[in-house]
Amino acid sequence: MTLHFPSELLLIIFNFAVHTSYEPADQPDSPSFDMSVSSALADIWDGLTGIRKDAEYPESQIQPGVIAHTTNPFTPLHISHVCKDWRDIAFSASELWTSIYVADGMASTPHLLRLWLRNSRSQPLDIVFRDTPNGSSGDTILEMIEMAAKHSVRWRTFKVRLGRHRLPMVEVKKALHGIVTPRVQTLAFSFNPTELGDTQFDDLWTSLIANAPKLQELQMWSTKYSEDFVSAMPFDRLTCITLVMVCFEGGTLFWQALRGCNVLRTLAISFSLSPGDLPWLFTQPPSSSAAVSIPSLRHLRLIGASDLCVLLLGLHLPSLSYLTMHTHHTHLRYMRRLTTDVYIALEDFLTRSQCRLLSFKIRDEREGGFEMRVSPILRHFALRDLVELRLGSAVGKKTLGLLVRRQTGGSHLQFLKHIELDALVAGDGIPFAGLVAGMAASRSCDSRPAANLAFLAVGFLSRTQLILEMRAWNDYIAEEGDLKVEKVFYYASGAELVLNALGD
């Protein structure tokens, strides 16, 4: 085959094809970290903007083997199968093989991993071990972990998320014990807690952290860690902390450790969504006068029910810009205070922090009353500069009224450019046709393009309402002209919302 393009240009194209993970267009400024809760909730937090499912590359459908990214099934092997010239380029370009995502493993998977490790040569490696519903034997996974451990000096990212497998944990510990990780920037680990038995991993992870002078991102899942482990965590240089169903001995120590966060930009924490569960990560918040202040933190992502109150009541985040919450609204008697709930705690937190949010996304799993609970939050002064808003639970005419931009001065939420309403319902009677178009029009006629609405996505809980709103929108366009808004209208039944919350 005669090459029609210089090999340098082809290599640039190949790099884009292999190393660009599929990200839905509705995920602006979202840091890349793996936020998993359990097999059911895991994929909510693969960017935790996925309340409405974008299923083109669902992680649950990834087949066992080796790929380059969670959501991109294209690999250097696909390139190498086109022709000899492309194969020569692919096999000689070590940078194409540096991202290694091991999804379970069949008998041939160790051979593929060996190929990736060999072709990457001396390049830094991003390695992820992740189980899928397809499953594979623990011995195969152990073999691949041992294989990867021999290249630990090249690790830049090392993530293990193997919650479904029955692994020989003593052997896993031997494979990872004493390795050197001078380049590691991201470290994450999760094993099936029922398989841990008496095997203690605190000393192993403490050793890995101690031997990782460049560590910046730490992610941990569902197990119990000692106070010694918390003391060993380098909070002063971590930029991203992800805690999923993690239990620390002595919650007070962790509050104290958070005070040492000097450069932390992203904090992601999940509790159980089951209402009524008591907090186990934080036994109680500091007093309001001694709230933990983290001036560098910009992204906060939370999953939980009543236990979120304890967290929100103990934090002061003056630089917070991006807040995402997935909750199950429930009342909690907090110490000697009057009965409070997540929304009261959230208001207290926003007022205390004096922050100015650019993005706010929230979903409440409790049926009914979401619009009433979230309305005071939407009026809070912390949202005065909001650019992106996503409401993942049922709202109606009242919320649309809040989103209309008035022509008089002092308009609230006047800078919104990105609006997503995942469940819009008209209530009893005839659907309110045209209000969505009117709301969008109020935000699209400013002489300053930077202040105009750019994206609007609405999921209607009634097919009739969807049809009427589509007609009203088209009629408005025909009469007034294009609003220059990227619009997505779709039907989203309650059942679909539940399924999509559990998807990727």
Side-chain angles (χ1 to χ4, degrees), residues 359-402:
S359 174
F360 177 59
K361 303 175 185 180
I362 186 169
R363 179 185 176 96
D364 192 333
E365 292 296 329
R366 186 176 183 183
E367 294 183 5
F370 171 74
E371 188 170 49
M372 176 184 68
R373 295 191 293 272
V374 79
S375 291
I377 305 299
L378 296 179
R379 294 188 178 95
H380 198 282
F381 62 83
L383 275 64
R384 62 192 178 277
D385 296 333
L386 202 67
V387 175
E388 179 183 31
L389 173 66
R390 184 167 193 171
L391 301 178
S393 301
V395 295
K397 188 174 181 178
K398 181 178 181 179
T399 298
L400 282 178
L402 286 175

Side-chain angles (χ1 to χ4, degrees), residues 9 129 134 192 226 271 273 298 317 323 331 390 403 410 419 439 472 493:
L9 178 58
F129 285 91
N134 300 287
N192 186 340
S226 67
F271 302 97
L273 275 177
R298 290 176 57 81
L317 308 177
L323 174 60
H331 292 290
R390 184 167 193 171
L403 297 181
I419 299 175
M439 182 274 290
S493 71

Side-chain angles (χ1 to χ4, degrees), residues 482-493:
D482 191 3
L483 294 177
K484 300 187 184 303
V485 176
E486 183 182 350
K487 168 187 66 71
V488 179
F489 287 176
Y490 61 97
Y491 172 65
S493 71

